[in-house]
Amino acid sequence: MDRLVAVFGSGLVEADTPIVHADDPGLLRGDGAFEAWLLAAGAPVLLPAHLNRLYRSATSLELSLPELDALRTFVLDVAAVWPRDVEAVQRLVCTRGRVGTGRPTIFTTVEPVPPWTSLNRQRGLRLVTGTVGFPVRERANAPWLLGGVKSLSYAVHTASQRWAANRGAQEMLWLSSDGYALECPSFNLVWIRSSTLFTVPSWSGIVAGTTEGALITQAHLLGLATDEALVTPEELLRADGVWLTGSLSGILAATELDGRPLARSPLLGEARRLIGYPET
């Protein structure tokens, strides 16, 4: 099985069946929200956290969604069809919907995790820095910038990743215009310093990570306290370990920042095991 596609209220459809109509501009304009999570042994990883974040995004977008239980049942029914022995990614996409209906278009897809997922778990990621063009506190005062929203508007994300790849890295670490590290297009940033696991404050407008949240709740089992802080690239270079968290990959080591090596924490393997992600 290569791919599953299902439309909310319509059941499974063929993978090549159009699911966005010409008069449904939501997906074409990026006017909507989505979530993606890992299917491990047929079970969605951290599904409640993902659905809760989806509803928070929808609230910010003024996008009406069905009842939570209905969406949960929908994605679980589709996940149950997927082979349990094939690690997969399931996405739930919600657009504004067809003009004049007042109803969102909602669909889910399931497909095998991309091959680079295992590779990144083994090698870690090289980072380059790049600016988002506004100060760290700007999104807190400008709700139209959609701080914290996991929207469908990903053109800037993919452009950042292409720019990084052209410079020999796998991801860009976004910086505010006043020099603070925020997040990557596909990952949240966490770092270890003096037996404390630090995360970027949510008020900065980053998308709060579900994997990051799970790691925070387990950090005490690693012997780590937790805290939030703003951090500069120079400070990350002095950290005891820099990790990137994401729904598909789990926890990855950041190995370089702008060509300079980052410390590797020996706690990485245990951290992965604690939140249920494989080593490779």
Side-chain angles (χ1 to χ4, degrees), residues 240-251:
D240 301 318
V242 179
W243 295 343
L244 304 171
T245 63
S247 299
L248 300 188
S249 301
I251 309 172

Side-chain angles (χ1 to χ4, degrees), residues 63-148:
L63 175 63
S64 297
L65 296 182
E67 293 294 327
L68 179 61
D69 286 345
L71 272 190
R72 182 188 299 110
T73 298
F74 170 58
V75 299
L76 288 175
D77 285 348
V78 176
V81 180
W82 189 259
R84 291 177 55 85
D85 60 342
V86 179
E87 191 180 38
V89 51
Q90 183 172 20
R91 293 181 176 86
L92 181 61
V93 180
C94 307
T95 80
R96 183 77 53 187
R98 302 178 70 178
V99 174
T101 65
R103 296 192 304 272
T105 295
I106 301 173
F107 62 91
T108 187
T109 63
V110 185
E111 53 196 322
V113 296
W116 49 257
T117 303
S118 179
L119 179 61
N120 287 343
R121 289 171 183 161
Q122 296 175 53
R123 71 181 180 187
L125 297 182
R126 297 186 300 274
L127 307 179
V128 292
T129 55
T131 183
V132 294
F134 45 77
V136 69
R137 298 183 184 276
E138 188 67 20
R139 285 186 289 192
N141 301 317
W144 55 88
L145 294 177
L146 300 181

Side-chain angles (χ1 to χ4, degrees), residues 54-254:
L54 177 69
Y55 277 81
R56 292 197 302 271
S57 295
T59 298
S60 296
L61 292 167
E62 299 182 15
L63 175 63
S64 297
L65 296 182
E67 293 294 327
L68 179 61
D69 286 345
L71 272 190
R72 182 188 299 110
T73 298
F74 170 58
V75 299
L76 288 175
D77 285 348
V78 176
V81 180
W82 189 259
R84 291 177 55 85
D85 60 342
V86 179
E87 191 180 38
V89 51
Q90 183 172 20
R91 293 181 176 86
L92 181 61
V93 180
C94 307
T95 80
R96 183 77 53 187
R98 302 178 70 178
V99 174
T101 65
R103 296 192 304 272
T105 295
I106 301 173
F107 62 91
T108 187
T109 63
V110 185
E111 53 196 322
V113 296
W116 49 257
T117 303
S118 179
L119 179 61
N120 287 343
R121 289 171 183 161
Q122 296 175 53
R123 71 181 180 187
L125 297 182
R126 297 186 300 274
L127 307 179
V128 292
T129 55
T131 183
V132 294
F134 45 77
V136 69
R137 298 183 184 276
E138 188 67 20
R139 285 186 289 192
N141 301 317
W144 55 88
L145 294 177
L146 300 181
V149 175
K150 195 170 178 66
S151 78
L152 300 177
S153 303
Y154 256 54
V156 171
H157 295 63
T158 55
S160 298
Q161 290 169 323
R162 287 194 301 271
W163 194 91
N166 289 335
R167 284 149 184 81
Q170 286 85 37
E171 277 282 332
M172 179 185 286
L173 177 60
W174 282 333
L175 305 181
S176 65
S177 61
D178 43 355
Y180 295 108
L182 298 173
E183 60 188 338
C184 295
S186 299
F187 299 96
N188 289 102
L189 171 70
V190 301
W191 66 100
I192 300 171
R193 187 178 69 232
S194 301
S195 299
T196 299
L197 181 76
F198 286 93
T199 57
V200 178
S202 58
W203 56 255
S204 66
I206 64 166
V207 176
T210 56
T211 308
E212 176 191 66
L215 177 60
I216 290 170
T217 64
Q218 301 292 329
H220 66 284
L221 298 176
L222 298 170
L224 299 175
T226 59
D227 202 354
E228 293 183 343
L230 295 177
V231 66
T232 65
E234 285 297 321
E235 289 170 329
L236 288 175
L237 288 166
R238 298 192 296 269
D240 301 318
V242 179
W243 295 343
L244 304 171
T245 63
S247 299
L248 300 188
S249 301
I251 309 172
L252 303 179

Side-chain angles (χ1 to χ4, degrees), residues 2-66:
D2 296 327
R3 190 169 187 245
L4 289 177
V5 179
V7 179
F8 185 77
S10 301
L12 292 174
V13 299
E14 297 297 327
D16 57 356
T17 300
I19 51 180
V20 179
H21 297 269
D23 58 348
D24 179 2
L27 189 58
L28 299 178
R29 296 181 179 178
D31 189 11
F34 83 102
E35 286 290 330
W37 52 81
L38 185 71
L39 285 185
V45 176
L46 301 176
L47 180 60
H50 282 286
L51 291 180
N52 288 336
R53 187 172 65 182
L54 177 69
Y55 277 81
R56 292 197 302 271
S57 295
T59 298
S60 296
L61 292 167
E62 299 182 15
L63 175 63
S64 297
L65 296 182

